[in-house]
Amino acid sequence: MSAHEITPTKCLRDEHEIILGMIDCFEPALTQAESGDISNDDLLAFIDFFRGFADMCHHCKEEDHLFPTLEQQGIPRNGGPIGVMLQEHSVARRLTQAMSEKLDSHIAGDASAMEHFIDQGRQYIDLMRGHIGKENPILFGMADQVVHGEVLDSLTKAYEEAASGDNYCETMKRCKATADRFLEAYGVTR
């Protein structure tokens, strides 16, 4: 298999499958949270995954490397799919932060906080499913059309460099272990 058969968009699509798997686990976890049938530690682990894997490890490849490369190849940020994806990343970060704060409040004894956590969690699920549903075929499809040759080699190298950092490696290892645990616990296959 040549290096170009594992393209930067293939890497991101594969990561999307892991994120979607965790979303498929988070949905019943929120139902469990409504009746108090899930531990705070498990809910904290979901938040850690969404922050670490989805945002830090995954979105950094898109925001720091893919999106600027696409702009250099003539795909506009403003008024185009890149701008929409960036805006949705920002909303995802705000929802993750709000979930974290509400979960902390719940753990500290605020009886109303769990209801807000669950609502924000469902918003996050809807956002991410829609986001990935657009990003995979539209933006990544555009990337596959315009990123070739030396530009592709450069982008692939940038991903490898991003993935080689100690913090990235530790976060990815921890988050993949979390995903494996939840995918098995909830019987989710992707």
Side-chain angles (χ1 to χ4, degrees), residues 23-166:
I23 292 290
D24 289 347
C25 296
F26 192 45
E27 195 165 35
L30 291 175
T31 300
Q32 291 174 311
E34 286 178 314
S35 57
D37 292 334
I38 188 169
S39 72
N40 291 329
D41 286 344
D42 280 354
L43 295 175
L44 288 166
F46 276 107
I47 299 299
D48 179 65
F49 175 87
F50 296 141
R51 279 186 167 152
F53 186 95
D55 193 35
M56 190 197 104
C57 294
H58 177 76
H59 288 161
C60 80
K61 291 181 195 138
E62 293 176 342
E63 293 178 1
D64 297 344
H65 305 292
L66 179 65
F67 296 172
T69 298
L70 293 177
E71 287 183 78
Q72 293 166 0
Q73 297 304 112
I75 297 174
R77 173 185 295 244
N78 298 325
I82 296 170
V84 172
M85 296 299 104
L86 287 167
Q87 190 270 335
E88 290 179 358
H89 287 181
S90 179
V91 172
R93 285 183 186 109
R94 284 196 303 271
L95 284 170
T96 304
Q97 181 61 32
M99 284 188 289
S100 177
E101 290 169 3
K102 290 302 178 185
L103 188 54
D104 287 346
S105 294
H106 166 75
I107 291 168
D110 180 346
S112 67
M114 183 53 69
E115 183 179 330
H116 296 288
F117 172 86
I118 292 166
D119 179 59
Q120 291 155 344
R122 290 191 171 130
Q123 290 177 51
Y124 183 85
I125 288 169
D126 291 344
L127 173 74
M128 292 305 289
R129 283 181 175 153
H131 176 80
I132 292 170
K134 291 180 285 202
E135 199 167 48
N136 276 351
I138 298 168
L139 190 64
F140 294 173
M142 295 169 104
D144 291 338
Q145 295 296 314
V146 300
V147 178
H148 301 285
E150 290 179 11
V151 175
L152 177 60
D153 293 340
S154 177
L155 184 58
T156 301
K157 193 172 293 181
Y159 278 17
E160 290 167 358
E161 289 173 11
S164 68
D166 287 344

Side-chain angles (χ1 to χ4, degrees), residues 52-53 56-57 159-177:
F53 186 95
M56 190 197 104
C57 294
Y159 278 17
E160 290 167 358
E161 289 173 11
S164 68
D166 287 344
N167 191 32
Y168 180 100
C169 293
E170 290 168 16
T171 300
M172 186 63 84
K173 181 179 178 182
R174 183 183 72 250
C175 289
K176 281 187 174 181

